[in-house]
PDB file of all heavy atoms in Angstrom:
ATOM      1  N   GLY A  48       8.508   7.299 -18.705  1.00 96.00           N
ATOM      2  CA  GLY A  48       8.734   8.475 -17.883  1.00 96.00           C
ATOM      3  C   GLY A  48       8.498   8.200 -16.391  1.00 96.00           C
ATOM      4  O   GLY A  48       8.664   9.066 -15.528  1.00 96.00           O
ATOM      5  N   TYR A  49       8.081   6.950 -16.054  1.00 97.00           N
ATOM      6  CA  TYR A  49       7.809   6.601 -14.698  1.00 97.00           C
ATOM      7  C   TYR A  49       8.648   5.396 -14.313  1.00 97.00           C
ATOM      8  O   TYR A  49       9.215   4.689 -15.156  1.00 97.00           O
ATOM      9  CB  TYR A  49       6.302   6.253 -14.512  1.00 97.00           C
ATOM     10  CG  TYR A  49       5.413   7.475 -14.509  1.00 97.00           C
ATOM     11  CD1 TYR A  49       5.021   8.081 -15.715  1.00 97.00           C
ATOM     12  CD2 TYR A  49       4.951   7.983 -13.299  1.00 97.00           C
ATOM     13  CE1 TYR A  49       4.212   9.170 -15.675  1.00 97.00           C
ATOM     14  CE2 TYR A  49       4.142   9.113 -13.325  1.00 97.00           C
ATOM     15  CZ  TYR A  49       3.752   9.730 -14.490  1.00 97.00           C
ATOM     16  OH  TYR A  49       2.948  10.795 -14.501  1.00 97.00           O
ATOM     17  N   PHE A  59       3.071   1.110  -6.917  1.00 97.00           N
ATOM     18  CA  PHE A  59       2.534   2.183  -7.751  1.00 97.00           C
ATOM     19  C   PHE A  59       3.694   2.769  -8.506  1.00 97.00           C
ATOM     20  O   PHE A  59       4.825   2.447  -8.283  1.00 97.00           O
ATOM     21  CB  PHE A  59       1.750   3.244  -6.896  1.00 97.00           C
ATOM     22  CG  PHE A  59       2.616   3.991  -5.941  1.00 97.00           C
ATOM     23  CD1 PHE A  59       3.315   5.165  -6.327  1.00 97.00           C
ATOM     24  CD2 PHE A  59       2.804   3.544  -4.634  1.00 97.00           C
ATOM     25  CE1 PHE A  59       4.109   5.857  -5.396  1.00 97.00           C
ATOM     26  CE2 PHE A  59       3.597   4.244  -3.730  1.00 97.00           C
ATOM     27  CZ  PHE A  59       4.243   5.397  -4.100  1.00 97.00           C
ATOM     28  N   VAL A  60       3.341   3.584  -9.511  1.00 97.00           N
ATOM     29  CA  VAL A  60       4.390   4.221 -10.300  1.00 97.00           C
ATOM     30  C   VAL A  60       4.485   5.696  -9.958  1.00 97.00           C
ATOM     31  O   VAL A  60       3.525   6.330  -9.528  1.00 97.00           O
ATOM     32  CB  VAL A  60       4.162   4.005 -11.833  1.00 97.00           C
ATOM     33  CG1 VAL A  60       4.128   2.525 -12.181  1.00 97.00           C
ATOM     34  CG2 VAL A  60       2.843   4.596 -12.288  1.00 97.00           C
ATOM     35  N   TYR A  61       5.699   6.204 -10.161  1.00 97.00           N
ATOM     36  CA  TYR A  61       5.987   7.657  -9.949  1.00 97.00           C
ATOM     37  C   TYR A  61       7.047   8.128 -10.944  1.00 97.00           C
ATOM     38  O   TYR A  61       7.706   7.291 -11.565  1.00 97.00           O
ATOM     39  CB  TYR A  61       6.437   7.857  -8.500  1.00 97.00           C
ATOM     40  CG  TYR A  61       7.764   7.287  -8.141  1.00 97.00           C
ATOM     41  CD1 TYR A  61       8.925   8.066  -8.115  1.00 97.00           C
ATOM     42  CD2 TYR A  61       7.914   5.932  -7.867  1.00 97.00           C
ATOM     43  CE1 TYR A  61      10.154   7.540  -7.773  1.00 97.00           C
ATOM     44  CE2 TYR A  61       9.127   5.376  -7.558  1.00 97.00           C
ATOM     45  CZ  TYR A  61      10.263   6.245  -7.512  1.00 97.00           C
ATOM     46  OH  TYR A  61      11.468   5.708  -7.154  1.00 97.00           O
ATOM     47  N   PRO A  62       7.164   9.434 -11.153  1.00 97.00           N
ATOM     48  CA  PRO A  62       8.121   9.982 -12.139  1.00 97.00           C
ATOM     49  C   PRO A  62       9.550   9.447 -11.904  1.00 97.00           C
ATOM     50  O   PRO A  62      10.026   9.407 -10.785  1.00 97.00           O
ATOM     51  CB  PRO A  62       8.037  11.469 -11.951  1.00 97.00           C
ATOM     52  CG  PRO A  62       6.635  11.685 -11.436  1.00 97.00           C
ATOM     53  CD  PRO A  62       6.363  10.518 -10.516  1.00 97.00           C
ATOM     54  N   TRP A  65      12.446  11.477  -9.975  1.00 97.00           N
ATOM     55  CA  TRP A  65      12.232  11.862  -8.595  1.00 97.00           C
ATOM     56  C   TRP A  65      13.133  11.043  -7.668  1.00 97.00           C
ATOM     57  O   TRP A  65      13.515   9.914  -7.947  1.00 97.00           O
ATOM     58  CB  TRP A  65      10.792  11.645  -8.180  1.00 97.00           C
ATOM     59  CG  TRP A  65       9.839  12.659  -8.730  1.00 97.00           C
ATOM     60  CD1 TRP A  65      10.009  13.471  -9.876  1.00 97.00           C
ATOM     61  CD2 TRP A  65       8.576  13.010  -8.261  1.00 97.00           C
ATOM     62  NE1 TRP A  65       8.941  14.221 -10.104  1.00 97.00           N
ATOM     63  CE2 TRP A  65       8.015  13.967  -9.084  1.00 97.00           C
ATOM     64  CE3 TRP A  65       7.824  12.529  -7.172  1.00 97.00           C
ATOM     65  CZ2 TRP A  65       6.753  14.510  -8.937  1.00 97.00           C
ATOM     66  CZ3 TRP A  65       6.567  13.080  -6.991  1.00 97.00           C
ATOM     67  CH2 TRP A  65       6.041  14.081  -7.829  1.00 97.00           C
ATOM     68  N   LEU A  76       8.832  10.445  -1.989  1.00 94.00           N
ATOM     69  CA  LEU A  76       9.385  10.518  -3.328  1.00 94.00           C
ATOM     70  C   LEU A  76       9.215  11.986  -3.787  1.00 94.00           C
ATOM     71  O   LEU A  76       8.094  12.528  -3.721  1.00 94.00           O
ATOM     72  CB  LEU A  76       8.570   9.596  -4.260  1.00 94.00           C
ATOM     73  CG  LEU A  76       8.423   8.166  -3.736  1.00 94.00           C
ATOM     74  CD1 LEU A  76       7.381   7.406  -4.500  1.00 94.00           C
ATOM     75  CD2 LEU A  76       9.752   7.453  -3.768  1.00 94.00           C
ATOM     76  N   ASP A  78      10.355  15.598  -6.206  1.00 95.00           N
ATOM     77  CA  ASP A  78      10.992  16.340  -7.271  1.00 95.00           C
ATOM     78  C   ASP A  78      11.609  17.567  -6.649  1.00 95.00           C
ATOM     79  O   ASP A  78      10.883  18.485  -6.227  1.00 95.00           O
ATOM     80  CB  ASP A  78       9.980  16.734  -8.343  1.00 95.00           C
ATOM     81  CG  ASP A  78      10.593  17.555  -9.471  1.00 95.00           C
ATOM     82  OD1 ASP A  78      11.811  17.929  -9.398  1.00 95.00           O
ATOM     83  OD2 ASP A  78       9.876  17.763 -10.475  1.00 95.00           O
ATOM     84  N   ASN A  83       7.092  19.160  -5.742  1.00 96.00           N
ATOM     85  CA  ASN A  83       6.038  18.137  -5.803  1.00 96.00           C
ATOM     86  C   ASN A  83       6.555  16.835  -5.170  1.00 96.00           C
ATOM     87  O   ASN A  83       7.781  16.523  -5.243  1.00 96.00           O
ATOM     88  CB  ASN A  83       5.693  17.862  -7.300  1.00 96.00           C
ATOM     89  CG  ASN A  83       5.071  19.097  -7.945  1.00 96.00           C
ATOM     90  OD1 ASN A  83       4.482  19.927  -7.260  1.00 96.00           O
ATOM     91  ND2 ASN A  83       5.114  19.103  -9.243  1.00 96.00           N
ATOM     92  N   ASN A  84       5.679  16.115  -4.532  1.00 96.00           N
ATOM     93  CA  ASN A  84       6.094  14.907  -3.828  1.00 96.00           C
ATOM     94  C   ASN A  84       4.986  13.932  -3.633  1.00 96.00           C
ATOM     95  O   ASN A  84       3.820  14.261  -3.738  1.00 96.00           O
ATOM     96  CB  ASN A  84       6.753  15.277  -2.491  1.00 96.00           C
ATOM     97  CG  ASN A  84       5.817  15.861  -1.489  1.00 96.00           C
ATOM     98  OD1 ASN A  84       4.988  15.161  -0.907  1.00 96.00           O
ATOM     99  ND2 ASN A  84       5.796  17.195  -1.377  1.00 96.00           N
ATOM    100  N   ILE A  85       5.375  12.714  -3.352  1.00 96.00           N
ATOM    101  CA  ILE A  85       4.445  11.629  -3.000  1.00 96.00           C
ATOM    102  C   ILE A  85       4.971  11.100  -1.630  1.00 96.00           C
ATOM    103  O   ILE A  85       6.157  10.670  -1.551  1.00 96.00           O
ATOM    104  CB  ILE A  85       4.423  10.518  -4.023  1.00 96.00           C
ATOM    105  CG1 ILE A  85       3.976  11.055  -5.348  1.00 96.00           C
ATOM    106  CG2 ILE A  85       3.510   9.413  -3.546  1.00 96.00           C
ATOM    107  CD1 ILE A  85       4.092  10.067  -6.546  1.00 96.00           C
ATOM    108  N   GLU A 153      -3.911  15.022  -2.988  1.00 97.00           N
ATOM    109  CA  GLU A 153      -4.786  13.879  -3.095  1.00 97.00           C
ATOM    110  C   GLU A 153      -4.230  12.745  -2.311  1.00 97.00           C
ATOM    111  O   GLU A 153      -3.099  12.300  -2.514  1.00 97.00           O
ATOM    112  CB  GLU A 153      -4.982  13.505  -4.535  1.00 97.00           C
ATOM    113  CG  GLU A 153      -5.754  14.582  -5.346  1.00 97.00           C
ATOM    114  CD  GLU A 153      -6.208  14.110  -6.734  1.00 97.00           C
ATOM    115  OE1 GLU A 153      -6.026  12.918  -7.029  1.00 97.00           O
ATOM    116  OE2 GLU A 153      -6.686  14.984  -7.471  1.00 97.00           O
ATOM    117  N   TYR A 155      -4.642   8.865  -1.325  1.00 97.00           N
ATOM    118  CA  TYR A 155      -5.243   7.574  -1.724  1.00 97.00           C
ATOM    119  C   TYR A 155      -4.982   6.579  -0.655  1.00 97.00           C
ATOM    120  O   TYR A 155      -3.808   6.357  -0.255  1.00 97.00           O
ATOM    121  CB  TYR A 155      -4.651   7.051  -3.044  1.00 97.00           C
ATOM    122  CG  TYR A 155      -4.739   8.099  -4.152  1.00 97.00           C
ATOM    123  CD1 TYR A 155      -3.606   8.578  -4.809  1.00 97.00           C
ATOM    124  CD2 TYR A 155      -5.974   8.572  -4.577  1.00 97.00           C
ATOM    125  CE1 TYR A 155      -3.735   9.533  -5.849  1.00 97.00           C
ATOM    126  CE2 TYR A 155      -6.112   9.510  -5.595  1.00 97.00           C
ATOM    127  CZ  TYR A 155      -4.954   9.984  -6.224  1.00 97.00           C
ATOM    128  OH  TYR A 155      -5.086  10.925  -7.187  1.00 97.00           O
ATOM    129  N   ASN A 167       0.038   9.953  -0.518  1.00 96.00           N
ATOM    130  CA  ASN A 167      -0.390  11.336  -0.573  1.00 96.00           C
ATOM    131  C   ASN A 167       0.401  12.062  -1.698  1.00 96.00           C
ATOM    132  O   ASN A 167       1.588  12.201  -1.587  1.00 96.00           O
ATOM    133  CB  ASN A 167      -0.141  12.040   0.723  1.00 96.00           C
ATOM    134  CG  ASN A 167      -0.645  13.430   0.808  1.00 96.00           C
ATOM    135  OD1 ASN A 167      -1.341  13.851  -0.071  1.00 96.00           O
ATOM    136  ND2 ASN A 167      -0.309  14.143   1.867  1.00 96.00           N
ATOM    137  N   VAL A 168      -0.340  12.443  -2.726  1.00 97.00           N
ATOM    138  CA  VAL A 168       0.293  13.115  -3.897  1.00 97.00           C
ATOM    139  C   VAL A 168       0.108  14.622  -3.665  1.00 97.00           C
ATOM    140  O   VAL A 168      -1.032  15.139  -3.625  1.00 97.00           O
ATOM    141  CB  VAL A 168      -0.330  12.716  -5.218  1.00 97.00           C
ATOM    142  CG1 VAL A 168       0.290  13.459  -6.361  1.00 97.00           C
ATOM    143  CG2 VAL A 168      -0.226  11.227  -5.424  1.00 97.00           C
ATOM    144  N   THR A 169       1.194  15.376  -3.519  1.00 96.00           N
ATOM    145  CA  THR A 169       1.202  16.804  -3.302  1.00 96.00           C
ATOM    146  C   THR A 169       1.841  17.475  -4.535  1.00 96.00           C
ATOM    147  O   THR A 169       2.963  17.189  -4.871  1.00 96.00           O
ATOM    148  CB  THR A 169       1.943  17.203  -2.038  1.00 96.00           C
ATOM    149  OG1 THR A 169       1.383  16.464  -0.943  1.00 96.00           O
ATOM    150  CG2 THR A 169       1.904  18.687  -1.794  1.00 96.00           C
ATOM    151  N   GLN A 170       1.064  18.397  -5.110  1.00 97.00           N
ATOM    152  CA  GLN A 170       1.634  19.177  -6.249  1.00 97.00           C
ATOM    153  C   GLN A 170       1.478  20.685  -5.978  1.00 97.00           C
ATOM    154  O   GLN A 170       0.458  21.176  -5.581  1.00 97.00           O
ATOM    155  CB  GLN A 170       0.919  18.806  -7.554  1.00 97.00           C
ATOM    156  CG  GLN A 170       1.074  17.338  -7.886  1.00 97.00           C
ATOM    157  CD  GLN A 170       0.716  17.039  -9.292  1.00 97.00           C
ATOM    158  OE1 GLN A 170       1.331  17.456 -10.241  1.00 97.00           O
ATOM    159  NE2 GLN A 170      -0.381  16.332  -9.480  1.00 97.00           N
ATOM    160  N   LYS A 174       2.981  24.278 -10.804  1.00 96.00           N
ATOM    161  CA  LYS A 174       4.085  23.356 -11.115  1.00 96.00           C
ATOM    162  C   LYS A 174       3.635  21.898 -11.236  1.00 96.00           C
ATOM    163  O   LYS A 174       4.446  20.966 -11.072  1.00 96.00           O
ATOM    164  CB  LYS A 174       5.206  23.475 -10.092  1.00 96.00           C
ATOM    165  CG  LYS A 174       5.821  24.851  -9.993  1.00 96.00           C
ATOM    166  CD  LYS A 174       6.869  24.932  -8.918  1.00 96.00           C
ATOM    167  CE  LYS A 174       7.448  26.361  -8.885  1.00 96.00           C
ATOM    168  NZ  LYS A 174       8.461  26.514  -7.844  1.00 96.00           N
ATOM    169  N   GLU A 175       2.327  21.694 -11.436  1.00 95.00           N
ATOM    170  CA  GLU A 175       1.729  20.399 -11.532  1.00 95.00           C
ATOM    171  C   GLU A 175       2.327  19.597 -12.643  1.00 95.00           C
ATOM    172  O   GLU A 175       2.694  20.119 -13.721  1.00 95.00           O
ATOM    173  CB  GLU A 175       0.214  20.448 -11.709  1.00 95.00           C
ATOM    174  CG  GLU A 175      -0.515  21.124 -10.522  1.00 95.00           C
ATOM    175  CD  GLU A 175      -0.800  22.560 -10.798  1.00 95.00           C
ATOM    176  OE1 GLU A 175      -0.042  23.241 -11.477  1.00 95.00           O
ATOM    177  OE2 GLU A 175      -1.833  23.082 -10.327  1.00 95.00           O
ATOM    178  N   VAL A 176       2.413  18.242 -12.462  1.00 94.00           N
ATOM    179  CA  VAL A 176       2.767  17.304 -13.508  1.00 94.00           C
ATOM    180  C   VAL A 176       1.497  16.775 -14.103  1.00 94.00           C
ATOM    181  O   VAL A 176       0.672  16.162 -13.411  1.00 94.00           O
ATOM    182  CB  VAL A 176       3.615  16.138 -12.934  1.00 94.00           C
ATOM    183  CG1 VAL A 176       3.975  15.134 -14.016  1.00 94.00           C
ATOM    184  CG2 VAL A 176       4.908  16.690 -12.288  1.00 94.00           C
ATOM    185  N   LYS A 177       1.349  17.006 -15.360  1.00 95.00           N
ATOM    186  CA  LYS A 177       0.077  16.568 -16.023  1.00 95.00           C
ATOM    187  C   LYS A 177      -0.116  15.089 -15.892  1.00 95.00           C
ATOM    188  O   LYS A 177       0.730  14.274 -16.262  1.00 95.00           O
ATOM    189  CB  LYS A 177       0.086  16.980 -17.494  1.00 95.00           C
ATOM    190  CG  LYS A 177      -1.230  16.693 -18.216  1.00 95.00           C
ATOM    191  CD  LYS A 177      -1.177  17.207 -19.658  1.00 95.00           C
ATOM    192  CE  LYS A 177      -2.488  16.907 -20.297  1.00 95.00           C
ATOM    193  NZ  LYS A 177      -2.539  17.315 -21.708  1.00 95.00           N
ATOM    194  N   GLY A 178      -1.258  14.696 -15.367  1.00 96.00           N
ATOM    195  CA  GLY A 178      -1.649  13.278 -15.275  1.00 96.00           C
ATOM    196  C   GLY A 178      -0.991  12.535 -14.118  1.00 96.00           C
ATOM    197  O   GLY A 178      -1.232  11.328 -13.962  1.00 96.00           O
ATOM    198  N   LEU A 179      -0.211  13.183 -13.258  1.00 97.00           N
ATOM    199  CA  LEU A 179       0.502  12.452 -12.182  1.00 97.00           C
ATOM    200  C   LEU A 179      -0.466  11.806 -11.259  1.00 97.00           C
ATOM    201  O   LEU A 179      -0.357  10.591 -10.918  1.00 97.00           O
ATOM    202  CB  LEU A 179       1.392  13.458 -11.383  1.00 97.00           C
ATOM    203  CG  LEU A 179       2.044  12.860 -10.151  1.00 97.00           C
ATOM    204  CD1 LEU A 179       2.973  11.733 -10.567  1.00 97.00           C
ATOM    205  CD2 LEU A 179       2.761  13.925  -9.360  1.00 97.00           C
ATOM    206  N   SER A 180      -1.466  12.561 -10.701  1.00 96.00           N
ATOM    207  CA  SER A 180      -2.380  11.975  -9.737  1.00 96.00           C
ATOM    208  C   SER A 180      -3.084  10.776 -10.297  1.00 96.00           C
ATOM    209  O   SER A 180      -3.225   9.717  -9.646  1.00 96.00           O
ATOM    210  CB  SER A 180      -3.378  13.023  -9.203  1.00 96.00           C
ATOM    211  OG  SER A 180      -2.698  13.980  -8.534  1.00 96.00           O
ATOM    212  N   GLU A 181      -3.618  10.901 -11.565  1.00 97.00           N
ATOM    213  CA  GLU A 181      -4.340   9.827 -12.146  1.00 97.00           C
ATOM    214  C   GLU A 181      -3.462   8.602 -12.375  1.00 97.00           C
ATOM    215  O   GLU A 181      -3.859   7.435 -12.180  1.00 97.00           O
ATOM    216  CB  GLU A 181      -4.926  10.258 -13.488  1.00 97.00           C
ATOM    217  CG  GLU A 181      -6.029  11.324 -13.385  1.00 97.00           C
ATOM    218  CD  GLU A 181      -5.438  12.757 -13.247  1.00 97.00           C
ATOM    219  OE1 GLU A 181      -4.166  12.957 -13.394  1.00 97.00           O
ATOM    220  OE2 GLU A 181      -6.195  13.643 -12.941  1.00 97.00           O
ATOM    221  N   THR A 182      -2.212   8.817 -12.753  1.00 97.00           N
ATOM    222  CA  THR A 182      -1.265   7.722 -12.982  1.00 97.00           C
ATOM    223  C   THR A 182      -0.973   6.964 -11.695  1.00 97.00           C
ATOM    224  O   THR A 182      -0.990   5.733 -11.667  1.00 97.00           O
ATOM    225  CB  THR A 182      -0.006   8.200 -13.658  1.00 97.00           C
ATOM    226  OG1 THR A 182      -0.302   8.906 -14.839  1.00 97.00           O
ATOM    227  CG2 THR A 182       0.966   7.109 -13.970  1.00 97.00           C
ATOM    228  N   VAL A 183      -0.697   7.727 -10.622  1.00 97.00           N
ATOM    229  CA  VAL A 183      -0.445   7.069  -9.342  1.00 97.00           C
ATOM    230  C   VAL A 183      -1.718   6.297  -8.916  1.00 97.00           C
ATOM    231  O   VAL A 183      -1.588   5.134  -8.553  1.00 97.00           O
ATOM    232  CB  VAL A 183      -0.048   8.100  -8.251  1.00 97.00           C
ATOM    233  CG1 VAL A 183       0.017   7.478  -6.862  1.00 97.00           C
ATOM    234  CG2 VAL A 183       1.337   8.723  -8.591  1.00 97.00           C
ATOM    235  N   PHE A 184      -2.854   6.927  -8.970  1.00 97.00           N
ATOM    236  CA  PHE A 184      -4.077   6.302  -8.503  1.00 97.00           C
ATOM    237  C   PHE A 184      -4.366   4.995  -9.328  1.00 97.00           C
ATOM    238  O   PHE A 184      -4.662   3.959  -8.723  1.00 97.00           O
ATOM    239  CB  PHE A 184      -5.271   7.292  -8.758  1.00 97.00           C
ATOM    240  CG  PHE A 184      -6.615   6.659  -8.513  1.00 97.00           C
ATOM    241  CD1 PHE A 184      -7.116   6.393  -7.266  1.00 97.00           C
ATOM    242  CD2 PHE A 184      -7.418   6.306  -9.649  1.00 97.00           C
ATOM    243  CE1 PHE A 184      -8.380   5.837  -7.094  1.00 97.00           C
ATOM    244  CE2 PHE A 184      -8.634   5.741  -9.454  1.00 97.00           C
ATOM    245  CZ  PHE A 184      -9.139   5.484  -8.176  1.00 97.00           C
ATOM    246  N   ASN A 185      -4.229   5.047 -10.629  1.00 97.00           N
ATOM    247  CA  ASN A 185      -4.556   3.896 -11.409  1.00 97.00           C
ATOM    248  C   ASN A 185      -3.536   2.783 -11.363  1.00 97.00           C
ATOM    249  O   ASN A 185      -3.806   1.673 -11.756  1.00 97.00           O
ATOM    250  CB  ASN A 185      -4.818   4.298 -12.898  1.00 97.00           C
ATOM    251  CG  ASN A 185      -6.171   4.955 -13.076  1.00 97.00           C
ATOM    252  OD1 ASN A 185      -7.169   4.411 -12.571  1.00 97.00           O
ATOM    253  ND2 ASN A 185      -6.210   6.060 -13.761  1.00 97.00           N
ATOM    254  N   SER A 186      -2.329   3.050 -10.856  1.00 97.00           N
ATOM    255  CA  SER A 186      -1.341   2.026 -10.712  1.00 97.00           C
ATOM    256  C   SER A 186      -1.271   1.442  -9.280  1.00 97.00           C
ATOM    257  O   SER A 186      -0.587   0.446  -9.038  1.00 97.00           O
ATOM    258  CB  SER A 186       0.075   2.584 -11.087  1.00 97.00           C
ATOM    259  OG  SER A 186       0.440   3.565 -10.187  1.00 97.00           O
TER     260      SER A 186
END
Side-chain angles (χ1 to χ4, degrees):
Y49 285 80
F59 64 89
V60 298
Y61 68 100
W65 286 21
L76 309 167
D78 179 350
N83 293 338
N84 64 80
I85 300 170
E153 292 190 7
Y155 304 121
N167 187 9
V168 179
T169 303
Q170 297 193 71
K174 299 179 182 179
E175 296 97 327
V176 176
K177 186 177 180 180
L179 173 64
S180 292
E181 295 81 10
T182 303
V183 171
F184 172 77
N185 283 314
S186 67

